[in-house]
Amino acid sequence: MSFRRIGILTSGGDAPGMNAAIRSATRYALSCNLEVIGIFRGFLGLINEEMKVFDHRSVSNIISHGGTILKTARCPEFLEEDTQRRAVGIIKKYGIDGLVLIGGNGTYQAGIALSRKWGIPCIGVPGTIDNDINGTDETIGADTAVNTALEAIDKIRDTVTSMERIFVVEVMGRDSGFIALQVGLASGAEEVIIPERNYDIHRMCHDIVEGNLRGKISWIIIVAEGAGSAEKIAAQITEITSLETRVAVLGHVQRGGSPTAKDRNLATRLGAYAVELLIQGATAKAVGVQSNQLTAVDLEFAVSKKNVDCDVFLQLIKKLT
Ligand code: F6P
């Protein structure tokens, strides 16, 4: 099949670097004499025909901006066959020969349906701060989110140390402890609680009390949102140890901001590669980078559970406390 026109969309939670991926996919496609349609608001915009023809200038000066100029949305109704049929009709109506889908798990699930069930060529580009996509060492936005959270935690450390307190800091990650582990190690946190592993509140409290006896009074405990709420964990610590605690929930600040150089370059490489794969006739693939090499895996593999060696991080953090 010869390619004439591609569509690009971002879907699910935004991630810093998505704009760099849009820019790269657009300009790479244009340089290969393809036409580009920007699809707004993810799959929701697709079924509502929110489309715009993109030229070189449509993506000027966006590489350094967080968020996504295409806007994004979650679209659970895309799991329904009727919605998919409607989307396919619109894709055909606009003469779109293939899609670049920038997002995380939900985005890839929609890509699997469109490509496998309805024959629309789709290539996934991993855009999520959670870094929970298989077949790539890192996802676009994860590095920026980690650095944003780290900057905040470093500031919290100043007050924790000065006032000799126990602080529980909640970071993002519904099913993934990636951000928590990274910032835990990088900030010198005393404990990290992640959804992939059980934690023992009594053991933790025992360590805190023992530490206090040795003169170690300030503690930072990082919790990934999927493993429990910082508020609850702090209340449990106070109940068990009778020690005062404080809480900080970093929230959506972690999703914004100018992407790091690492995220911009990852996004730029992956956006271009996704278009190249479409031109080569690939479908239902997810692009990624493994050991700094561009790779492509099946979308089904990309959404399967990612095996992360959390224990190496957790053990090191514990040893250094
Ligand atoms: O995109 C990933 C993520 O940031 C998760 O870490 C978090 O649990 C979720 O999105 C929050 O989603 P929303 O912005 O829809 O509340």
Side-chain angles (χ1 to χ4, degrees), residues 13 74 129-130 172-174 225 252 255:
R74 299 196 194 275
I129 63 167
D130 288 348
M172 271 189 161
R174 197 169 16 219
E225 61 174 329
H252 285 76
R255 283 240 295 262

Side-chain angles (χ1 to χ4, degrees), residues 14-211:
D14 50 276
M18 278 183 163
N19 279 329
I22 296 167
R23 171 183 177 272
S24 159
T26 300
R27 291 198 172 166
Y28 192 86
L30 293 171
S31 76
C32 298
N33 296 317
L34 301 180
E35 290 168 5
V36 177
I37 304 281
I39 303 166
F40 287 79
R41 294 184 181 78
F43 294 99
L44 207 58
L46 175 61
I47 56 179
N48 291 325
E49 298 188 46
E50 294 186 61
M51 321 276 207
K52 192 176 161 204
V53 175
F54 268 21
D55 62 18
H56 204 80
R57 305 226 61 79
S58 308
V59 292
S60 293
N61 300 323
I62 64 170
I63 197 166
S64 59
H65 295 180
T68 158
I69 59 157
L70 286 175
K71 316 280 184 199
T72 183
R74 299 196 194 275
C75 184
E77 60 265 45
F78 209 82
L79 294 173
E80 292 158 22
E81 193 151 322
D82 278 354
T83 314
Q84 293 169 8
R85 186 174 297 110
R86 182 176 158 76
V88 171
I90 291 162
I91 291 166
K92 298 245 156 89
K93 177 175 158 188
Y94 281 81
I96 294 170
D97 300 313
L99 290 171
V100 173
L101 307 173
I102 306 167
N105 271 297
T107 310
Y108 282 15
Q109 293 291 359
I112 291 170
L114 280 177
S115 52
R116 300 287 190 208
K117 211 154 74 178
W118 301 92
I120 307 288
C122 289
I123 303 292
V125 176
T128 166
I129 63 167
D130 288 348
N131 198 21
D132 57 351
I133 299 285
N134 245 330
T136 186
D137 294 340
E138 283 225 26
T139 57
I140 297 163
D143 186 59
T144 307
V146 165
N147 281 294
T148 302
L150 183 61
E151 200 184 325
I153 295 163
D154 284 347
K155 288 177 178 157
I156 290 170
R157 173 70 77 187
D158 291 344
T159 173
V160 164
T161 313
S162 304
M163 296 199 71
E164 304 193 291
R165 276 179 163 157
I166 302 165
F167 234 95
V168 185
V169 183
E170 185 177 311
V171 297
M172 271 189 161
R174 197 169 16 219
D175 305 306
S176 157
F178 176 78
I179 295 176
L181 286 173
Q182 294 290 323
V183 297
L185 195 62
S187 69
E190 280 70 22
E191 292 278 351
V192 176
I193 301 173
I194 54 171
E196 292 90 338
R197 294 286 179 273
N198 294 326
Y199 73 100
D200 180 349
I201 189 81
H202 290 283
R203 194 271 307 149
M204 208 164 84
C205 289
H206 176 264
D207 288 355
I208 291 172
V209 171
E210 269 220 321

